[in-house]
Amino acid sequence: MTTPDLFDAPPPGPDQARVAELHSLLHHHAHRYYVLDEPEIPDAEYDRLFRELQAIEAAHPELVTPDSPTQRVGGKPLAQFASVRHAVPMLSIRTETDTEASGAEAFDARVRRELDLGETEPAVEYVAELKFDGLAINLRYEQGVLVQAATRGDGEVGEDVTQNIRTIGQIPLRLPEGVPAVLEVRGEVYLRRDDFNALNERQREKGEKTFVNPRNAAAGAVRQLDPAIAAQRPLSFFTYGLGEVTPGAVQVASHFAWLQLLKSWGFPVCDHVVIARGAPDLIAFHRRMGELRDSLPYDIDGVVYKVNRLDLQQQLGFVTREPRWAVAHKYPAQEMLTTVQAIEIQVGRTGKLTPVAKLAPVFVGGVTVTNATLHNEDEARRKDVRIGDTVIVRRAGDVIPEVVAVLPEKRPPGAEMFTMPHTCPVCGSAAVREEGEADYRCTGGLFCSAQRKQAILHFAHRRAVEIEGLGDKLVDQLVDSGVVNTLPDLYRLGLTALASLERMADKSAQNIVEALEKSKQTTLPRFLFGLGIRHVGEATAKALARHFGKLDAIMDASEEQLLQVADVGPVVAQSIRTFFEQPHNREVVEQLRACGVTWEEGEPAPIEVQPLAGKTFVLTGTLPTLSRDQAKDMLEAAGAKVAGSVSKKTDYVVAGAEAGSKLEKAQALGVKVIDEAGLIRLVNPDAA
Ligand code: IVH
């Protein structure tokens, strides 16, 4: 079957032809999405087509047919799973894509009109929630026991995925005494971003297909026929509603009260649920969550507003398959389509060659994206990105934008497969990929101007010696004009040399000179980190400085001595040795010192003061004040190891807000769980 062509403008002609075309497109993509879990286009694109059809049908009701994609939600269940007819249909929800305040205002105005509320009557009470980007599940409990879990399917009939859902630790299998005889709880199954990344990492290691996004990975897991495989995908769950409930079993008057009750019965309810009065509160929630979106540990695609009082919900009722009492208010899409204009090779500080797709500018995840990394040769091959390709670009959270998939049917004829160059595009030296390595590296070393530039930028970085104002444009100019070749050259720059550079104002030149002067007074860890020794990050630089106290001791340390530093393994030790064995590297250090770069040297640490040596920690959730990197640095400096997943060998789990499956696992295994304050006490036993 060939894929219909979506992206060309609709052919001129009667609406009827376009309607037929939209039917076939939407059916095709709904099948890819719901049945195969392999969408070819981003949701935003699907939504756009869907809305186009809705608009035509609104203008020409005579064109609405019973099989129109607007007349049903979702797709057919797979033959392999048993079908489940929902006792209460699983509705869809009206969506406002307008990201401005008007989305909330329009909803509030509609609700007030339907309820016949005059202007003088008080604000309607709503519950505002997050719109999780996963898949909807109905959990059926009879006499307090989970008897069935089903997907939404087409809203009337879903699939029985009980086996797979049982593997989700957050979902209670048995409820406390006193719950209604029949209780159906609805919510979203999703994958946290860290779990998604770890899953893809494992897939990559195994040489298997990676998942496009957390939602697809979650959907794939839920609809995995082998529950053993499903169990390996660490799914999470949030509760947001109800299906069938034995009438009169509980006295609850509002949606919010229901959520509290469900929470008390052991269902996970998201913390970001608030009661909102009137449109202004809804708008504020939408804005606040929009700001929080990137830092949440899971994907959301919007927020949901629901009328809180159940009697009012009843009064409002439904239009077709959508309740009048709820609406989804979306955020800008995190996945969009664009085209690849070129594939460039960037040369990093250590000579690493990274293929980067240059994209036609596209607004995704709230920013305009023009570049997306293709990581390395294997990754670029796996995705088979070619110049001219139409691709799905994703930017979620604060992660760098990524090309997640290519639309092969949009490929221009004759587009050639990408190959990594075997010479450095900057200096022409040979580029080699060592056995067992993922990356090609330029062998030019500091002969390569790209490596020189990166080395200078790294040295000037704010976490290294920090030379304020020395950015990539200026470094390009300095290196390209031959004024700066080595790090010490920086400190030989005079005001005249700087001011004579193109587009350099006297004042800016003066600022750079001052910043250079200021950077001379630094610390040993910053200086060491700034040298850019391979495998020596900030934490290692700090550990080395603490252990040896003086730079000369580090420069002259044998591999054996280096190995005594906690966290320095054979690879790192070897890399440090190799670096300081090179006469030109020693020369650079001497010249920097001669130029006046200085720091206070310390005494070697008598014995390792490492309160947490040998202990393994796992971090999960958002800590109140420390970023994940800061917490990791602190732990590593204290000698601890920080691991990605919880096992019996884990000594402590540090849990913050929204901690998920890792916390559950810790509890299940009886691993000690501490909070940020506990972590600080452990790292700093004397301070307490
Ligand atoms: S309420 C009658 N609340 O969005 C209202 N849905 O069409 C039923 N979703 O696929 C849905 N987060 O899985 C509701 N807090 C939330 C939600 C939510 C995500 C999904 C749901 C469904 C779609 C609604």
Side-chain angles (χ1 to χ4, degrees), residues 232-381:
Q232 291 164 14
R233 314 256 174 96
L235 295 167
S236 302
F237 182 75
F238 273 135
T239 308
Y240 57 62
L242 294 154
E244 186 185 2
V245 182
T246 307
V250 284
Q251 299 304 317
V252 178
S254 72
H255 176 65
F256 194 80
W258 253 123
L259 291 180
Q260 302 316 305
L261 193 56
L262 290 169
K263 196 167 173 175
S264 76
W265 290 341
F267 291 96
V269 175
C270 177
D271 288 335
H272 300 294
V273 176
V274 301
I275 291 188
R277 288 183 181 80
D281 280 4
L282 297 178
I283 294 165
F285 183 78
H286 183 263
R287 185 180 320 114
R288 217 165 51 242
M289 294 304 121
E291 286 162 7
L292 210 63
R293 184 188 191 192
D294 275 359
S295 56
L296 290 171
Y298 42 79
D299 283 359
I300 58 170
D301 56 357
V303 292
V304 180
Y305 311 138
K306 299 171 181 175
V307 170
N308 191 22
R309 270 171 53 182
L310 301 182
D311 58 334
L312 296 183
Q313 287 190 3
Q314 190 104 45
Q315 197 180 326
L316 283 158
F318 307 91
V319 245
T320 56
R321 316 291 298 279
E322 297 169 349
R324 284 203 194 84
W325 46 264
V327 75
H329 196 175
K330 289 241 190 171
Y331 290 122
Q334 289 177 320
E335 284 179 14
M336 292 297 278
L337 286 182
T338 187
T339 53
V340 177
Q341 297 175 324
I343 298 177
E344 287 180 2
I345 305 291
Q346 280 176 4
V347 184
R349 175 167 58 82
T350 57
K352 177 180 162 185
L353 268 45
T354 307
V356 175
K358 297 276 153 183
L359 307 169
V362 59
F363 190 69
V364 52
V367 298
T368 300
V369 169
T370 52
N371 287 329
T373 175
L374 299 173
H375 300 290
N376 55 44
E377 181 177 42
D378 293 347
E379 204 52 23
R381 283 252 176 92

Side-chain angles (χ1 to χ4, degrees), residues 34 73 89-95 128-137 152 186-189 239-241 255 301-304 306 318 321-323 325-326 328:
Y34 289 107
V73 226
M90 291 184 79
L91 299 167
S92 95
I93 194 168
R94 186 190 159 102
T95 300
E129 303 174 3
L130 300 180
K131 186 167 191 299
F132 312 107
D133 203 4
L135 79 161
I137 292 287
R152 168 149 153 245
R186 290 177 178 174
E188 199 86 346
V189 169
T239 308
Y240 57 62
H255 176 65
D301 56 357
V303 292
V304 180
K306 299 171 181 175
F318 307 91
R321 316 291 298 279
E322 297 169 349
W325 46 264

